Amino acid sequence: MTVRILCDFDGTVTTQDNIIALMQQFAPASDFEPLKRGVLDRTLSIQSGVGQMFALLPSDGKTAYLDFLLERAVIRDGFSELLQYSRRQGIDFSIVSGGMDFFVEPILAPFLEQEQIYCNVADFSGPFVHIDWPNACDAHCTNGCGCCKTSVVRTLRKDGDVIIVIGDSVTDFELAKQADRVYARDYLITLCEENDIAYTPFETFHDIVHDLTRAEVTT
């Protein structure tokens, strides 16, 4: 048996949602806001909405986008401690993010190996940013997730594995449905409550380490 933690990135590892921050700074609000509402109320698939958001950004702004996010990125308290706890307990830790490689990987470089990170890929070769989806939905999912977190867990999961999900938003909802244990904050709490999904709220990763220690979660 393997215990696997699948952790969201934007708004979970970082205290802000990097995509929202990026769009608010660089995209026309009249184009971005309807796309954001569509993703949040699920009238637009995540893949469609996020893909259209990034298509608003000129590719020649890549350096400015990255500098903006690196300057503002704040890691939620206790993240290093959760990683240390996971290593001590033999827990497999992965980031499963709807974010983009050009900012997710640099922000996480001090903490994780690249093979522990599942995210989308931003292509800056054209006039506007184009998103590729290396972790798109498999045959078992038709939700247009972009980075399909349930597809990732189906790739990783072996019989008897325990799946722990940490997240904050609509992008984590489908994965939360399949988890053995859910740690939620922000909008994911609302979705869990609306759909009778058991969850434990958290504000920092210290809260999660404390709860895992209390529950004696280990391999």
Side-chain angles (χ1 to χ4, degrees):
M1 179 196 80
T2 300
V3 178
R4 300 184 186 277
I5 292 178
L6 284 84
C7 182
D8 177 51
F9 178 72
D10 288 292
T12 300
V13 173
T14 55
T15 56
Q16 71 171 359
D17 186 302
N18 294 283
I19 292 177
I20 298 299
L22 191 67
M23 295 301 152
Q24 288 174 335
Q25 180 70 15
F26 293 101
S30 59
D31 296 324
F32 158 63
E33 289 294 339
L35 295 172
K36 181 179 77 170
R37 287 195 298 272
V39 170
L40 291 177
D41 66 20
R42 287 177 278 169
T43 56
L44 266 181
S45 74
I46 295 167
Q47 182 169 337
S48 175
V50 172
Q52 290 181 70
M53 287 180 198
F54 274 89
L56 300 171
L57 301 180
S59 290
D60 61 7
K62 180 180 179 179
T63 299
Y65 307 150
L66 181 56
D67 289 347
F68 171 78
L69 293 176
L70 289 176
E71 185 178 312
R72 286 158 180 77
V74 176
I75 302 297
R76 189 173 302 279
D77 285 348
F79 184 58
S80 292
E81 287 74 11
L82 176 61
L83 294 176
Q84 291 165 13
Y85 174 86
S86 299
R87 293 183 187 111
R88 288 197 306 269
Q89 299 300 321
I91 295 172
D92 184 85
F93 189 98
S94 298
I95 291 291
V96 223
S97 171
M100 307 304 152
D101 60 335
F102 80 95
F103 64 83
V104 175
E105 291 174 359
I107 292 172
L108 287 176
F111 303 98
L112 294 167
E113 300 297 327
Q114 191 169 334
E115 57 266 25
Q116 293 176 271
I117 302 169
Y118 298 84
C119 64
N120 303 309
V121 175
D123 179 357
F124 292 87
S125 62
F128 291 89
V129 182
H130 173 78
I131 304 303
D132 294 320
W133 315 96
N135 304 292
C137 298
D138 61 16
H140 300 284
C141 182
T142 58
N143 292 317
C145 300
C147 179
C148 183
K149 300 186 180 188
T150 60
S151 298
V152 172
V153 80
R154 279 188 287 274
T155 299
L156 295 174
R157 189 176 213 162
K158 305 291 189 299
D159 288 345
D161 284 358
V162 174
I163 302 300
I164 298 170
V165 169
I166 306 172
D168 78 312
S169 191
V170 64
T171 60
D172 307 299
F173 176 52
E174 294 299 324
L175 188 55
K177 292 179 184 179
Q178 299 187 14
D180 298 291
R181 184 181 290 261
V182 177
Y183 293 101
R185 59 178 309 279
D186 203 31
Y187 188 44
L188 184 58
I189 289 178
T190 301
L191 293 172
C192 286
E193 291 180 346
E194 288 175 351
N195 292 273
D196 296 319
I197 298 171
Y199 72 93
T200 300
F202 75 98
E203 283 301 320
T204 73
F205 289 106
H206 294 297
D207 301 330
I208 297 175
V209 172
H210 176 76
D211 190 70
L212 291 173
T213 302
R214 179 194 56 79
E216 297 183 340
V217 174
T218 186
T219 55

